[in-house]
C-alpha cells in the first residue's frame, strides 16, 4: 500500500540497486546505448535529475525531501511518516484524496515512503500526464491545508498500520529492539513509524511544523524518468516548481554516537514463532562519510560471503554443514549518518541458533585472519556489475534509486560511479574494511525464539 | 493462500494495453509458437513460459508436489550437479525462477544477450533432465516444511485456509498449495521425475520472449531449450468449483493484537461476457485503492483500517470475489457492517456514471504501464496466451472496455454482488470480537 516504511536492515537487493544509475556498465552493452542521467538546479535550489528510458510511453516522477524520521523532535520522531500520510489530504485547490483520484482515473498510481533520512513521493503514469503530476506535486510542496477533522482519523490509520506491520509481527518487534540497541544515542534507534504511546498524541500542529521546516524546493530533489527528454522536464519544472519560494536553509545535525563499549544481545520470544532466526548487525561507515572505498569493499565482501550459491557462508552452512536453512548478509551504505552491515540466519528445523552463530563468527574470523582471494573478489565484482546492467531494465527502478540516494545527501556523480568503484575494489580493500567493522563492540545480536509452552501446574 | 491468489488474480486481469506493440508470432524448428517483441534498449533478454497444470493437479496425498518441483529445477540437471549448475547461473548472472500456480506451472529466465546459448542449454536440461538429487531435495523440502509450520501461526494464512474450506469445500483448489507436513514428507524423487515428465509437454506450453534478440535467435533459443520435450501426456480435467452461496461468519480464536478479516462470495470466470463490466464495478467498490468506495468509507472516513481491498479471482475452474482487511478486534463488527452495506448498495444501485467513467479511464490509461521492463512485457504476453485471448487482444480489449455502458455495469453489479452470499472469516482474539451468530472455532484449522 501507500506507506511502505523502509525500516530495518537493508537487503542485498537494495545494495544491488545502487548500480542502477550507471554510465559505465561492465560488461558494456554491445551497442551504443549507455544510460545517462542529467542534472540541473533551479534558481530556488530545487535539484532536478532526468533519467530517460524509452521502454514504454510511461513516466515516473519522484520528489525526495531531505527529511525523515531521524529529523523529528524528541518524542515526535514518527511525525515524518505521519506527515507523509497527510500530504494526500489536500491543498487550496485539491480536495482531500483528490491527488490520488486524479492519478487513478488516468490509469496511474501514486505512493510514498518514509525512512530515517528521506521522504519520497512518487507517481507512475502515461507520459502525456507528466504535466499534471508535476503541477500537483509542486502544489503540495507549499500549499498543504490540514484541519483536525482530516488529521485525527488519519492518526487512527497510522496506529492501524503500526498494528499490522509491527505489533502483529514478532519479527517486526525484534527489529525495533535491535535498532534501539544498536544505536546508543543516534535517532536511528527509534522506529520510523514512532512508538505507539507517542503516536497517539501527535497533533495537526506537529505535522505542520515539520512540513514548514523541511518541505521546500531547496530541501528537495525532483527525479523524472521514463519516456521524456531533459528539455520536457526542464520546461515543466521551471513552470511549476520554479515560482515556489526557496525556503529556509535546513541543516541536519543529529545526535552523535559515542564509541561503543560492549557487544549487545537482544532476544524476543513469542508463541507464534515457528522458526527461530538470528540477526547480527554491525555499525559501519556509510558511502557519504567513508574515508576511502570502504562502502564498495563491504558490498563486495557481502557478495563473497552470501552472494548466491557461491557465497562462503551459504556453501558452508546451507550445503556442507546443513546447520542453516538460509543465511544472508547485506551492506547498507545509504543512510545519511551511519552505515550498517547485517547477517541473517535461519537454522534448519530443530537446529540450534548457537551453532549457527558460532559458524558466522568462525567465518568472520577467517576473513579477518586470511582475507579473501583475488578470484573471489573478481567473481563478486563481475556478478555485481551484471546486476547493475540488469537494473537498467526498468523505468521506475533508476528513478527510485536516484531519488533515495540524493535525498540522503549523496551526489549523482557518486551514484553513477557505482559500477566503476565496485570494479576498483581489491582483496586488500576488503580485508581493511572488514577489519574496521567486525569488532564485537560494534555489534548487536538479535534472536527470535518460540515461546516455550507453559508448564503444567505441579501437584 | 487466499490473498496470494487474490493478488495474482489482480495482476492477471489488469488492463494489458491499447498501444501498438509489435508482437511477432514465430515458430521454432520444432514447431513451438513464440510470441516475440524485439527491444534493443538494453543488452537483456527475458523469457516467460508456462505449462497448463499447476498445484491444483497435485495428486491426493502429494499436495505440495508442484511447489517442491518449482524449487528444484535449478538444482542440478543432466550430468551437472547442483553446485555446478548454480555456479554456472550465478557466474553469468542468469536468473531462473519457477512458480507453481493453481492452474499453471510457469517459469522466467533473464540473461545478458551474450549468454543466450548458456541460458538455453541450462534451461533445456532443467526441463528435460532434472536430477532431483537427495541433498537439494531435502534442503528445499526442509525450507518448505518451515514455511508450512510458519503458516500455521500466520493469521493471514489461517484465515485463508478457513476461507477455502468454507467457500470451496472439497474442490482441489481448497487444498494447501504448499502441502502439509505429511504430504510434503511423502514426496519422493520418483514423484518429482514423474511430475516433470507429465507436466513439461509441448502441447500445453506457451512462450514469450522480449528483449535484445532477433527472431532467428529466439527460434534457436526455443529449439534448444524446449525442442526435446515430449509432445503430450495425459492431464486430468479440473472440475468446476461450486462455491458456497450461503454466507456464513466464522471467528477463529487466535491471540494476535490485530484481527485479520477475509471475505468472499461466488464470482465469474475470465471467459464470462460480463468480465470487463464486473472488473469495473469491483474497481469502484474495492479494487481501486484510494479511489474505491470501501477505502473511502472504512479507512478515510473512519480510520478503521490501514488498507482494504477486493478483487476478482478468475481461475480456470471458476471465479470468486474476495477481499481482506485488518483492524482492532473491538472494531471488527463495525467494519464488517460497512462492508456488507456497501456490498449491497453496489448490488442494488451499481456505480454512478462518474465512478464508471473514472474506472474506465483508469483501465484504459493503465495499458503502457504493463510494459516498463522486458520481463513484465514477457509475462503479459505469456498470460495472454495462457488465457487464450489471442494476439489481437491489444485492440479488442480497449474497444470492449470503452463499450461498457452504465446499464452493463449495473447489470453486472446486480449479478455479481450479493451480501447474503458473503462468507467472513475473522482471525483474532474471540473474547474481544462481538459478532452475534458467528461460529467460533477455538483452534486454527489443521491440514
Amino acid at each position: 500500500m501507500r506507506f511502505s516504511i523502509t525500516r530495518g536492515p537493508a537487503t542485498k537487493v537494495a545494495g544491488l540497486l545502487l548500480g542502477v544509475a550507471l554510465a559505465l556498465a561492465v560488461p558494456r552493452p554491445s551497442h551504443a546505448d549507455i544510460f545517462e542521467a542529467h542534472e540541473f538546479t533551479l534558481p530556488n535550489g530545487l535539484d532536478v535529475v532526468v533519467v530517460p528510458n524509452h521502454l514504454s510511453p510511461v513516466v515516473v516522477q519522484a520528489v525526495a525531501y531531505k527529511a525523515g524520521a531521524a529529523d523529528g523532535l524528541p518524542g515526535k520522531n514518527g511525525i515524518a511518516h505521519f506527515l507523509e500520510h497527510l500530504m494526500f489530504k489536500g491543498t487550496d485547490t485539491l480536495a482531500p484524496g483528490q491527488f490520488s483520484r486524479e492519478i487513478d482515473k488516468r490509469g496511474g498510481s501514486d505512493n510514498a515512503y518514509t525512512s530515517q533520512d528521506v521522504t519520497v513521493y512518487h507517481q507512475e503514469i502515461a507520459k502525456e500526464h507528466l504535466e499534471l503530476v508535476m503541477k500537483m506535486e509542486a502544489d503540495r510542496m507549499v500549499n498543504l491545508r490540514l484541519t483536525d477533522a482530516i488529521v485525527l482519523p488519519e492518526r487512527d490509520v497510522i496506529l492501524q498500520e503500526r498494528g499490522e506491520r509491527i505489533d502483529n509481527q514478532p519479527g517486526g518487534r525484534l527489529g525495533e529492539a535491535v535498532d534501539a540497541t544498536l544505536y546508543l544515542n543516534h535517532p536511528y534507534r527509534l522506529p520510523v513509524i514512532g512508538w505507539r504511546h507517542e503516536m497517539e498524541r501527535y497533533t495537526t500542529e506537529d505535522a505542520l511544523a515539520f512540513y514548514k521546516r523541511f518541505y521546500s524546493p531547496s530541501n528537495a530533489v525532483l527525479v523524472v524518468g521514463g519516456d521524456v527528454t531533459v528539455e520536457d522536464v526542464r520546461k515543466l519544472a521551471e513552470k511549476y516548481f520554479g515560482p515556489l519560494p526557496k525556503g529556509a536553509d535546513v541543516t541536519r545535525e543529529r545526535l552523535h554516537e559515542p564509541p561503543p563499549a560492549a557487544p549487545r544481545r537482544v532476544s524476543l520470544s513469542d508463541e507464534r514463532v515457528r522458526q527461530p532466526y538470528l540477526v547480527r548487525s554491525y555499525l559501519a561507515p556509510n558511502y557519504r562519510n567513508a574515508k576511502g572505498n570502504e562502502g564498495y569493499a563491504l558490498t563486495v565482501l557481502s557478495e563473497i560471503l552470501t552472494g548466491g550459491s557461491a557465497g562462503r557462508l551459504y556453501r558452508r552452512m546451507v550445503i556442507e554443514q546443513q546447520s542453516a536453512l538460509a543465511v544472508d548478509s547485506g551492506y547498507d551504505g545509504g543512510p545519511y549518518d551511519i552505515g550498517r552491515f547485517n547477517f541473517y540466519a535461519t537454522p534448519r528445523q530443530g537446529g540450534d541458533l548457537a551453532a549457527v552463530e558460532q559458524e558466522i563468527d568462525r567465518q568472520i574470523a577467517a576473513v579477518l585472519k586470511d582475507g579473501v582471494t583475488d578470484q573471489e573478489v573478481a567473481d563478486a565484482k563481475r556478478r555485481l556489475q551484471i546486476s547493475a546492467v540488469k537494473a537498467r531494465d526498468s523505468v521506475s527502478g533508476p528513478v527510485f534509486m536516484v531519488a533515495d540516494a540524493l535525498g540522503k545527501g549523496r551526489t549523482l556523480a557518486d551514484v553513477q560511479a557505482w559500477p566503476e568503484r565496485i570494479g576498483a575494489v581489491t582483496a586488500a580493500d576488503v580485508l581493511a574494511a572488514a577489519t574496521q567493522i567486525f569488532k564485537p563492540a560494534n555489534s548487536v545480536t538479535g534472536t527470535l525464539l518460540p515461546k516455550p509452552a507453559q508448564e503444567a501446574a505441579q501437584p | 493462500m487466499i490473498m496470494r491468489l487474490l493478488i495474482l488474480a489482480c495482476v492477471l486481469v489488469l488492463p494489458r494495453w491499447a498501444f501498438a506493440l509489435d508482437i511477432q508470432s514465430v515458430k521454432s524448428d520444432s514447431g513451438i509458437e513464440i510470441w516475440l517483441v524485439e527491444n534493443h534498449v538494453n543488452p537483456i533478454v527475458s523469457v516467460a513460459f508456462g505449462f497448463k497444470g499447476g498445484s491444483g493437479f497435485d495428486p491426493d496425498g502429494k499436495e505440495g508436489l508442484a511447489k517442491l518441483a518449482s524449487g528444484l529445477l535449478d538444482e542440478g540437471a543432466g550430468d551437472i550437479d547442483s553446485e555446478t549448475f548454480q555456479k554456472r547461473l550465478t557466474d553469468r548472472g542468469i536468473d531462473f525462477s519457477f512458480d507453481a500456480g493453481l492452474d499453471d506451472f510457469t517459469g522466467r529466465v533473464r540473461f545478458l544477450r551474450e549468454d543466450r546459448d548458456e541460458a538455453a542449454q541450462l534451461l533445456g536440461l532443467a526441463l528435460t533432465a532434472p536430477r532431483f538429487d537427495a541433498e537439494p531435495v531435502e534442503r528445499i523440502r526442509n525450507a518448505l516444511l518451515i514455511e508450512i509450520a510458519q503458516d500455521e501461526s500466520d493469521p493471514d494464512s489461517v484465515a485463508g485456509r478457513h476461507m477455502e474450506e468454507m467457500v470451496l469445500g472439497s474442490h482441489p483448489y481448497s487444498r494447501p498449495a504448499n502441502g502439509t507436513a505429511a504430504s510434503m514428507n511423502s514426496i519422493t524423487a520418483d514423484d518429482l521425475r514423474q511430475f516433470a515428465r507429465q507436466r513439461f509437454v509441448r502441447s500445453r506450453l506457451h512462450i514469450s520472449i522480449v528483449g535484445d534478440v532477433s527472431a532467428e535467435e529466439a527460434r534457436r533459443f526455443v529449439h534448444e531449450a524446449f525442442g526435446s520435450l515430449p509432445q503430450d501426456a495425459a492431464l486430468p480435467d479440473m472440475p468446476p468449483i461450486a462455491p458456497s452461496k450461503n454466507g456464513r461468519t466464522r471467528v477463529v480464536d487466535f491471540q494476535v493484537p490485530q484481527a485479520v478479516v477475509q471475505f468472499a462470495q461466488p464470482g465469474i470466470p475470465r471467459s464470462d461476457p460480463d468480465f470487463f463490466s464486473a472488473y469495473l464495478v469491483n474497481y469502484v467498490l474495492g479494487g481501486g485503492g484510494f479511489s474505491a468506495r470501501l477505502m473511502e468509507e472504512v479507512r478515510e472516513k473512519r480510520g478503521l483500517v490501514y488498507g482494504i481491498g477486493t478483487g476478482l479471482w478468475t481461475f480456470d475452474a471458476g471465479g470468486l470475489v474476495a477481499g481482506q482487511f485488518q483492524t482492532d478486534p473491538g472494531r471488527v463488527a463495525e467494519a464488517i457492517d460497512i462492508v456488507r452495506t456497501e456490498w449491497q448498495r453496489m448490488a442494488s444501485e451499481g456505480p454512478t456514471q462518474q465512478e464508471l467513467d473514472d474506472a474506465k479511464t483508469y483501465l484504459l490509461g493503465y495499458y503502457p504501464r504493463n510494459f516498463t521492463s522486458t520481463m513484465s512485457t514477457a509475462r503479459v504476453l505469456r498470460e495472454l496466451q495462457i488465457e487464450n485471448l489471442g494476439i489481437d487482444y491489444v485492440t479488442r480489449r480497449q474497444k470492449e472496455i470503452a463499450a461498457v455502458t452504465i446499464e452493463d455495469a449495473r447489470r453486472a453489479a446486480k449479478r455479481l454482488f450479493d451480501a447474503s452470499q458473503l462468507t467472513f472469516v475473522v482471525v483474532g482474539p474471540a473474547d474481544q470480537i462481538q459478532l452475534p451468530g458467528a461460529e467460533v472455532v477455538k483452534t486454527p484449522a489443521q491440514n
Side-chain angles (χ1 to χ4, degrees):
Chain A
M1 307 283 325
R2 172 177 289 169
F3 319 103
S4 60
I5 290 186
T6 314
R7 59 172 312 287
T11 64
K12 178 143 47 288
V13 175
L16 295 184
L17 273 179
L18 293 174
V20 165
L22 66 156
L24 292 161
V26 181
R28 295 170 70 95
S30 55
H31 51 95
D33 178 58
I34 294 178
F35 177 84
E36 275 185 18
H38 307 267
E39 186 174 28
F40 57 91
T41 305
L42 298 186
N44 61 12
L46 181 72
D47 190 7
V48 185
V49 180
V50 187
V51 196
N53 181 328
H54 306 288
L55 285 165
S56 185
V58 169
V59 291
V60 174
Q61 170 177 273
V63 167
Y65 291 96
K66 298 176 184 178
D71 299 299
L73 296 171
K76 299 185 188 298
N77 65 293
I79 283 294
H81 170 254
F82 190 30
L83 174 62
E84 178 220 301
H85 279 229
L86 298 173
M87 284 290 282
F88 296 84
K89 297 299 186 184
T91 64
D92 292 337
T93 52
L94 280 179
Q98 195 185 346
F99 188 102
S100 297
R101 280 197 299 276
E102 293 296 330
I103 289 169
D104 283 353
K105 73 184 185 195
R106 290 168 177 83
S109 66
D110 71 315
N111 215 321
Y113 69 86
T114 306
S115 68
Q116 293 286 6
D117 296 315
V118 70
T119 310
V120 180
Y121 300 83
H122 53 89
Q123 304 87 33
E124 179 181 305
I125 198 161
K127 69 174 186 178
E128 60 267 30
H129 303 304
L130 176 60
E131 179 160 6
L132 172 81
V133 294
M134 206 178 281
K135 182 180 168 187
M136 292 198 302
E137 198 62 90
D139 175 39
R140 70 176 171 179
M141 184 176 279
V142 294
N143 293 322
L144 181 68
R145 294 295 172 260
L146 298 177
T147 63
D148 284 357
I150 290 168
V151 169
L152 298 182
E154 197 62 25
R155 192 172 65 188
D156 285 346
V157 171
I158 57 169
L159 288 163
Q160 294 292 341
E161 180 181 1
R162 189 183 156 88
E164 280 191 28
R165 289 180 184 280
I166 311 289
D167 303 337
N168 251 24
Q169 311 280 352
R173 288 184 283 127
L174 176 66
E176 281 192 344
V178 168
D179 291 353
T181 316
L182 179 65
Y183 306 99
L184 299 169
N185 198 40
H186 192 282
Y188 288 169
R189 65 203 310 272
L190 304 171
V192 169
I193 198 166
W195 298 119
R196 180 174 284 273
H197 66 283
E198 293 176 350
M199 295 167 71
E200 286 165 347
R201 294 204 301 270
Y202 291 168
T203 65
T204 305
E205 292 69 37
D206 291 337
L208 284 172
F210 193 91
Y211 176 69
K212 285 177 186 141
R213 180 161 170 227
F214 290 111
Y215 281 41
S216 69
S218 56
N219 198 41
V221 183
L222 167 69
V223 186
V224 179
D227 198 9
V228 290
T229 65
V230 179
E231 278 321 299
D232 295 337
V233 175
R234 188 192 301 274
K235 235 168 51 193
L236 291 171
E238 282 171 352
K239 181 172 173 187
Y240 292 108
F241 287 97
L244 305 185
K246 181 175 188 296
D249 286 338
V250 177
T251 52
R252 298 180 124 178
E253 191 56 45
R254 283 88 169 254
L255 297 175
H256 292 257
E257 282 290 286
R264 285 136 281 161
R265 299 188 75 86
V266 293
S267 185
L268 185 143
S269 300
D270 187 294
E271 58 201 11
R272 286 176 45 224
V273 173
R274 295 294 183 276
Q275 176 57 37
Y277 67 75
L278 173 128
V279 52
R280 164 83 61 80
S281 294
Y282 291 87
L283 298 173
N286 60 357
Y287 285 121
R288 202 176 64 89
N289 295 329
K291 291 185 190 66
N293 69 347
E294 296 100 313
Y296 306 92
L298 291 171
T299 303
V300 170
L301 174 61
S302 170
E303 181 69 20
I304 289 171
L305 293 177
T306 55
S309 61
R312 281 188 182 194
L313 266 61
Y314 182 87
R315 283 239 67 77
R316 176 72 186 142
M317 297 169 67
V318 178
I319 304 286
E320 292 166 20
Q321 205 179 51
Q322 300 188 5
S323 58
L325 195 69
V327 58
D328 205 354
S329 73
Y331 166 69
D332 182 7
Y336 187 79
D337 287 316
I338 308 164
R340 185 162 169 169
F341 196 101
N342 304 294
F343 292 92
Y344 314 84
T346 307
R348 71 176 154 79
Q349 214 166 11
D352 183 3
L353 272 182
V356 167
E357 184 176 358
Q358 279 165 20
E359 188 57 35
I360 290 175
D361 283 330
R362 268 196 291 271
Q363 294 294 330
I364 291 172
V367 169
L368 295 178
K369 179 167 174 284
D370 302 320
V372 296
T373 69
D374 290 341
Q375 185 64 48
E376 283 178 310
V377 171
D379 287 347
K381 281 157 56 171
R382 188 186 59 249
R383 293 198 299 267
L384 289 168
Q385 286 170 332
I386 290 174
S387 79
V389 175
K390 288 194 291 197
R392 300 190 305 188
D393 187 17
S394 163
V395 174
S396 57
V399 173
F400 294 160
M401 195 286 307
V402 171
D404 194 80
L406 271 57
K408 291 173 177 170
R410 295 175 64 202
T411 65
L412 183 63
D414 182 39
V415 170
Q416 284 188 297
W418 190 89
E420 192 186 338
R421 293 187 187 160
I422 287 292
V425 170
T426 65
D429 295 333
V430 173
L431 177 57
T435 307
Q436 188 183 336
I437 68 162
F438 288 145
K439 297 169 181 161
N442 259 343
S443 75
V444 172
T445 306
T447 54
L448 186 70
L449 300 166
K451 187 177 263 177
Q454 285 185 344
E455 285 182 39
Q458 298 298 314
Chain B
M1 189 186 74
I2 288 258
M3 287 317 288
R4 196 175 65 78
L5 295 178
L6 177 64
I7 290 158
L8 179 66
C10 293
V11 171
L12 294 188
V13 294
L14 277 176
R16 270 101 184 193
W17 58 64
F19 69 115
L21 186 70
D22 183 13
I23 312 171
Q24 308 170 52
S25 169
V26 297
K27 275 214 161 75
S28 75
D29 289 348
S30 27
I32 300 169
E33 185 182 13
I34 311 150
W35 286 15
L36 170 70
V37 173
E38 291 185 44
N39 180 320
H40 304 284
V41 172
N42 291 308
I44 293 165
V45 182
S46 289
V47 180
F49 61 92
F51 298 95
K52 270 285 170 202
S55 60
F57 294 85
D58 286 346
D60 284 331
K62 301 280 184 188
E63 292 84 5
L65 175 61
K67 180 82 180 179
L68 181 58
S70 73
L72 285 165
L73 293 179
D74 59 356
E75 293 280 354
D79 54 8
I80 308 171
D81 67 14
S82 167
E83 182 177 351
T84 313
F85 199 97
Q86 285 281 322
K87 184 165 169 24
R88 282 173 65 172
L89 290 177
T90 37
D91 273 356
R92 298 305 319 162
I94 300 170
D95 300 324
F96 269 33
S97 113
F98 301 94
D99 188 39
L102 260 188
D103 289 326
D104 312 290
F105 188 96
T106 58
R108 284 173 286 158
V109 178
R110 187 171 66 150
F111 47 88
L112 298 187
R113 67 160 292 136
E114 67 202 39
D115 299 319
R116 195 179 55 245
D117 291 342
E118 174 80 347
Q121 192 201 348
L122 293 173
L123 179 59
L125 284 170
L127 293 173
T128 57
R131 292 175 62 90
F132 302 121
D133 286 335
E135 183 277 321
V137 168
E138 294 317 308
R139 173 159 41 84
I140 303 296
R141 190 202 309 274
N142 284 332
L144 286 171
L145 284 169
I146 283 181
E147 224 175 277
I148 291 165
Q150 286 284 39
D151 282 350
E152 284 171 16
S153 68
D154 173 48
D156 290 312
S157 305
V158 171
R161 278 206 306 284
H162 281 274
M163 182 61 83
E164 286 157 6
E165 180 231 302
M166 290 172 77
V167 172
L168 298 174
S170 61
H171 189 274
Y173 281 177
S174 74
R175 300 178 314 160
N178 280 359
T180 63
S183 71
M184 182 53 63
N185 277 318
S186 80
I187 297 168
T188 65
D190 278 344
D191 293 331
L192 290 160
R193 287 190 196 98
Q194 194 184 350
F195 174 90
R197 276 197 305 272
Q198 287 185 340
R199 300 299 185 78
F200 303 154
V201 298
R202 280 152 48 183
S203 64
R204 291 193 289 269
L205 170 64
H206 300 284
I207 307 174
S208 60
I209 302 184
V210 178
D212 194 8
V213 62
S214 69
E216 182 51 35
E217 289 162 347
R219 292 174 63 229
R220 278 211 307 275
F221 178 91
V222 167
H223 182 69
E224 168 91 15
F226 300 95
S228 48
L229 289 175
Q231 176 58 33
D232 204 1
L235 188 71
D237 289 332
M238 179 62 70
I241 61 170
S244 163
K245 292 186 175 174
N246 298 320
R248 291 185 290 158
T249 300
R250 179 181 289 177
V251 176
V252 183
D253 189 24
F254 206 78
Q255 290 310 305
V256 276
Q258 211 167 18
V260 170
V261 181
Q262 292 187 359
F263 47 99
Q265 66 141 81
I268 59 171
R270 178 67 184 83
S271 55
D272 193 287
D274 273 339
F275 174 76
F276 279 125
S277 301
Y279 190 89
L280 290 164
V281 293
N282 173 68
Y283 178 88
V284 173
L285 177 65
F290 283 88
S291 294
R293 287 183 183 181
L294 286 176
M295 198 71 131
E296 177 65 23
E297 294 296 324
V298 184
R299 170 177 159 140
E300 297 297 293
K301 283 194 187 158
R302 296 175 179 86
L304 283 171
V305 301
Y306 173 52
I308 180 167
T310 64
L312 303 183
W313 277 33
T314 54
F315 286 89
D316 288 355
L320 296 176
V321 195
Q324 162 158 341
F325 62 88
Q326 293 189 22
T327 191
D328 294 338
R331 304 184 80 178
V332 166
E334 181 187 357
I336 284 184
D337 221 43
I338 297 166
V339 171
R340 280 189 188 287
T341 303
E342 289 302 322
W343 204 269
Q344 206 51 46
R345 183 162 78 90
M346 181 58 85
S348 52
E349 296 168 15
T352 65
Q353 184 70 53
Q354 186 63 52
E355 286 172 325
L356 175 65
D357 291 346
D358 287 352
K360 283 166 70 173
T361 52
Y362 168 82
L363 267 191
L364 292 166
Y366 187 97
Y367 69 94
R369 298 179 48 210
N370 277 322
F371 308 99
T372 54
S373 73
T374 58
M375 186 54 87
S376 68
T377 306
R379 288 176 68 172
V380 170
L381 299 188
R382 177 186 67 197
E383 298 313 323
L384 292 187
Q385 294 175 78
I386 286 178
E387 296 285 342
N388 200 22
L389 290 168
I391 207 162
D392 65 337
Y393 181 77
V394 182
T395 46
R396 223 181 53 233
R397 170 196 181 276
Q398 294 302 95
K399 284 185 203 147
E400 285 179 21
I401 293 167
V404 173
T405 64
I406 189 73
E407 289 75 27
D408 294 333
R410 287 184 185 135
R411 187 188 65 244
K414 194 175 290 294
R415 199 186 138 202
L416 191 66
F417 296 111
D418 181 350
S420 75
Q421 297 187 6
L422 266 180
T423 290
F424 285 86
V425 174
V426 182
V427 176
D431 56 344
Q432 298 170 47
I433 296 166
Q434 266 74 53
L435 283 171
E439 165 196 8
V440 178
V441 178
K442 280 298 172 197
T443 50
Q446 297 298 317
N447 294 304

